[in-house]
């Protein structure tokens, strides 16, 4: 073969290596960019879950305090004497009667947590974090299940109170507070004489205490998971 027609293998090899290298580099850049996008999405979802946990934490604290206050008023009603009732102001009678059929029930926020738990994790850490968030969702679901039982007990008390104050009219339930004020302290003695009502109040109070313990357990879990997620988020930023 003539030297003038010799194939430039060296140049071709260098060009081929350069082409392959550029393709591999492009793939590597794409993979790096995809990972960066995935981690940005992961961080955004983590931040949303932390915000949602904070909202649930505040709501649980408020519901615990509200139920404890109601239980305190119920206890005053169950232990109070006619003489003590006679010294109450009308607005105090209203609050006491209203507390008999009141229980604050918790409605969870879990849309961000559910979305996060359902997305593929970018790494091993993501698997662990999703497991913890799933536990939070299950805990909050359990709390809500308990509040359904409490609501049924609350309805039983409400019907007995309404029977005494406004008769059996379905439209009279909203008038319980004002009617109690107009009737004065004697209404508390009349309510206390109703054994079925007392039994219903005691049942509701028991379920409220169970419910409070469930919410307190939820607070502990939320605090633990919040710290873990917040620490992970700070380490990523």
């Amino acid at each position: 073969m003539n030297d003038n027609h010799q194939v430039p293998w060296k140049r071709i090899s260098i060009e081929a290596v350069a082409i392959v290298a550029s393709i591999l580099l492009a793939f590597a850049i794409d993979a790096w960019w995809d990972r960066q996008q995935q981690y940005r999405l992961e961080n955004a979802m983590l931040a949303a879950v932390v915000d949602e946990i904070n909202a649930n934490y505040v709501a649980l604290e408020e519901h615990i305090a509200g139920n404890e206050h109601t239980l305190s008023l119920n206890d005053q009603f169950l232990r109070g004497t006619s003489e003590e009732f006679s010294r109450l102001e009308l607005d105090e009678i209203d609050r006491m009667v209203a507390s008999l059929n009141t229980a604050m029930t918790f409605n969870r926020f879990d849309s961000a947590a559910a979305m996060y738990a359902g997305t593929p994790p970018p790494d091993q850490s993501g698997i662990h974090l999703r497991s913890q968030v799933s536990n939070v969702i299950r805990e909050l679901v359990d709390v809500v299940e308990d509040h359904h039982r409490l609501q049924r007990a609350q309805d039983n008390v409400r019907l007995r109170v309404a029977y005494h104050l406004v008769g059996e009219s379905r439209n009279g339930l909203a008038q319980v507070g004002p009617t109690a004020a107009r009737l004065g302290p004697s209404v508390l003695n009349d309510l206390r004489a109703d054994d079925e009502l007392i039994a219903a109040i005691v049942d509701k109070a028991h379920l409220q205490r169970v419910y409070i313990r469930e919410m307190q357990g939820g607070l502990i879990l939320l605090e633990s998971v919040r710290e873990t997620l917040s620490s992970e988020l700070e380490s990523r930023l």
Side-chain angles (χ1 to χ4, degrees):
M1 181 180 291
N2 193 303
D3 288 344
N4 293 333
H5 296 87
Q6 188 175 0
V7 178
W9 294 111
K10 183 176 181 180
R11 180 172 60 81
I12 292 174
S13 298
I14 292 173
E15 290 177 353
V17 169
I19 291 171
V20 171
S22 64
I23 292 173
L24 293 176
L25 179 60
F27 281 136
I29 291 173
D30 283 344
W32 176 84
W33 179 252
D34 287 343
R35 284 196 300 273
Q36 291 302 308
Q37 292 294 93
Q38 191 174 17
Y39 278 115
R40 287 193 185 96
L41 177 60
E42 179 82 355
N43 292 346
M45 288 191 295
L46 275 175
V49 173
V50 170
D51 288 343
E52 194 170 75
I53 285 175
N54 288 334
N56 280 308
Y57 195 93
V58 171
L60 283 173
E61 284 187 319
E62 291 175 348
H63 283 71
I64 289 171
N67 280 288
E68 288 178 338
H69 178 66
T70 297
L71 285 173
S72 174
L73 290 175
N74 290 175
D75 188 60
Q76 290 179 36
F77 169 76
L78 294 173
R79 297 176 182 274
T81 64
S82 298
E83 182 181 350
E84 289 172 335
F85 291 158
S86 68
R87 293 197 294 267
L88 294 175
E89 300 292 337
L90 294 183
D91 62 333
E92 293 176 310
I93 295 173
D94 276 350
R95 285 195 295 271
M96 183 171 290
V97 172
S99 75
L100 299 180
N101 52 40
T102 298
M104 291 183 65
T105 51
F106 169 72
N107 293 308
R108 70 189 187 278
F109 310 103
D110 63 3
S111 57
M115 180 181 293
Y116 178 73
T119 57
D123 49 30
Q124 191 65 32
S125 173
I127 295 174
H128 176 64
L129 294 175
R130 280 163 175 76
S131 175
Q132 289 192 306
V133 170
S134 295
N135 287 338
V136 167
I137 294 174
R138 285 193 292 270
E139 176 71 21
L140 296 181
V141 167
D142 289 342
V143 172
V144 172
E145 285 301 315
D146 277 339
H147 99 213
H148 291 318
R149 292 193 300 156
L150 178 56
Q151 282 181 322
R152 289 193 292 272
Q154 178 182 339
D155 288 341
N156 291 336
V157 176
R158 180 180 289 113
L159 289 173
R160 294 302 304 173
V161 172
Y163 175 79
H164 280 276
L165 300 183
V166 293
E168 299 184 37
S169 169
R170 293 182 180 178
N171 297 324
L173 295 182
Q175 304 172 18
V176 167
T179 304
R182 286 196 296 270
L183 292 175
S186 62
V187 68
L188 297 175
N189 293 315
D190 292 341
L191 292 172
R192 274 267 297 274
D194 185 341
D195 291 339
E196 289 186 32
L197 173 60
I198 298 302
I201 293 171
V202 170
D203 181 50
K204 180 184 76 81
H206 167 71
L207 290 175
Q208 271 185 284
R209 290 187 177 92
V210 171
Y211 190 50
I212 288 172
R213 288 196 295 271
E214 288 285 342
M215 289 191 289
Q216 289 170 334
L219 281 180
I220 294 171
L221 179 60
L222 286 177
E223 178 64 28
S224 173
V225 175
R226 178 170 62 181
E227 289 181 4
T228 300
L229 297 184
S230 297
S231 297
E232 178 68 20
L233 191 56
E234 288 176 6
S235 70
R236 291 170 179 265
L237 300 178

